[in-house]
Amino acid sequence: MKLNEELVAIHAHVCGDGNMYIKKENRSPSSIRTSRSIKPFNRFIIEYTNTCPELLDRMTIYIKKLFPQTYVLRSNNKFRIQARNKILFDILKNLGYDKDDWIIPQEIVHSSEFRRIWLRAFFDDEGTVREASVLCYNTNKKAMLMIREMLELEGFKTSFYSSAPKQEKYKTLYIIRVAASSYLLFQKIGFNHTKKRIKYMNSCKKRINKLGLNAPAEIRISECPIPLAFLG
């Protein structure tokens, strides 16, 4: 399958707040009656967890658009969805997903269209909005360095640092900070996460006022908060 918007976003969400695993299941009585085998089988599961309902709905739409017959369910935890599809599972594996050591394909890193889609989905999961900076966190150093490269290809000023774990059972946390000088430009990435989008929009308004800029009369929550033309 060729890269497309849905597949790129799914990959980013799985790398962010997702997970994939294989679960051994017993066949149902009806399946045993119609199957040549009674042995347990492997269930290939793609899982995504987020407290933002809109993101769960988006992830479901992405998966259904690529594989309309895929079974996507909400688990007992209302903040989690599961998709059962071996083909999608294998595709994401081939794109470099590994639970502890995932990478971002170069076809995404060096494509302005796919790069922005991937970064938006990842920051929806792992990003934090502050009044003078946007940050993201992860324990995968190799991937975080790739994300920093992607942000710098978009023209953002960034810093990279780590936070040592307080307990031995935890991993070192790596942090990317988008500098204040690039804060307004982050609209090129933006957010689909409702609360983060609103917080970013309000912070942009405050920053514009603080800098003494003449902001557009209307700043829409559902779109990029500031037209690119305004930023020059």
Side-chain angles (χ1 to χ4, degrees):
M1 178 178 289
K2 292 183 178 180
L3 282 178
N4 54 51
E5 177 180 347
E6 292 78 22
L7 187 54
V8 169
I10 290 170
H11 180 270
H13 281 310
V14 171
C15 292
D17 280 338
N19 187 24
M20 299 200 319
Y21 56 94
I22 302 173
K23 181 180 179 182
K24 187 77 73 175
E25 290 190 4
N26 293 320
R27 297 186 184 277
S28 66
S30 60
S31 176
I32 291 175
R33 287 194 298 269
T34 59
S35 174
R36 295 180 180 179
S37 174
I38 62 173
K39 295 180 180 180
F41 66 99
N42 289 330
R43 181 81 76 181
F44 295 83
I45 298 174
I46 300 102
E47 194 170 80
Y48 177 59
T49 304
N50 203 293
T51 58
C52 177
E54 290 84 358
L55 291 183
L56 296 176
D57 291 340
R58 278 180 176 271
M59 186 66 153
T60 301
I61 291 170
Y62 293 150
I63 295 170
K64 286 286 191 180
K65 187 171 181 179
L66 294 180
F67 300 96
Q69 303 304 317
T70 299
Y71 183 39
V72 181
L73 60 89
R74 290 280 177 102
S75 67
N76 293 332
N77 176 349
K78 64 181 179 178
F79 300 125
R80 180 180 299 129
I81 62 171
Q82 293 180 342
R84 301 173 178 183
N85 188 301
K86 183 181 185 302
I87 296 176
L88 179 57
F89 187 100
D90 289 341
I91 289 172
L92 293 170
K93 280 285 188 181
N94 289 333
L95 286 175
Y97 176 79
D98 181 274
K99 183 177 180 180
D100 298 316
D101 194 31
W102 52 269
I103 60 172
I104 308 159
Q106 290 299 308
E107 303 96 299
I108 294 176
V109 173
H110 295 289
S111 164
S112 59
E113 176 189 2
F114 292 150
R115 183 167 62 236
R116 293 179 186 184
I117 292 169
W118 196 97
L119 287 170
R120 173 178 284 204
F122 188 79
F123 272 81
D124 278 335
D125 292 341
E126 304 287 73
T128 297
V129 178
R130 296 182 179 172
E131 288 194 4
S133 62
V134 179
L135 301 93
C136 73
Y137 309 82
N138 203 268
T139 57
N140 185 338
K141 183 178 181 180
K142 183 194 301 183
M144 288 292 277
L145 289 171
M146 296 181 77
I147 292 169
R148 188 184 189 190
E149 177 187 356
M150 293 165 74
L151 290 167
E152 292 182 345
L153 285 171
E154 290 294 329
F156 300 128
K157 300 291 185 182
T158 66
S159 56
F160 184 90
Y161 52 99
S162 63
S163 176
K166 295 181 180 179
Q167 300 180 34
E168 289 186 4
K169 64 179 180 178
Y170 296 115
K171 296 181 180 180
T172 298
L173 188 65
Y174 298 96
I175 304 159
I176 297 173
R177 178 180 178 273
V178 177
S181 60
S182 297
Y183 191 83
L184 296 178
L185 287 172
F186 194 79
Q187 67 164 301
K188 291 196 295 182
I189 307 303
F191 294 96
N192 286 324
H193 189 293
T194 308
K195 291 182 179 179
K196 292 180 184 180
R197 184 171 69 244
I198 294 172
K199 185 174 181 179
Y200 176 66
M201 179 207 69
N202 290 333
S203 295
C204 281
K205 287 181 179 180
K206 291 179 181 178
R207 188 154 188 81
I208 287 169
N209 292 333
K210 184 177 180 180
L211 296 173
L213 301 174
N214 295 318
E218 180 182 7
I219 298 179
R220 298 179 181 177
I221 294 176
S222 61
E223 299 176 358
C224 289
I226 308 166
L228 288 173
F230 170 69
L231 296 172

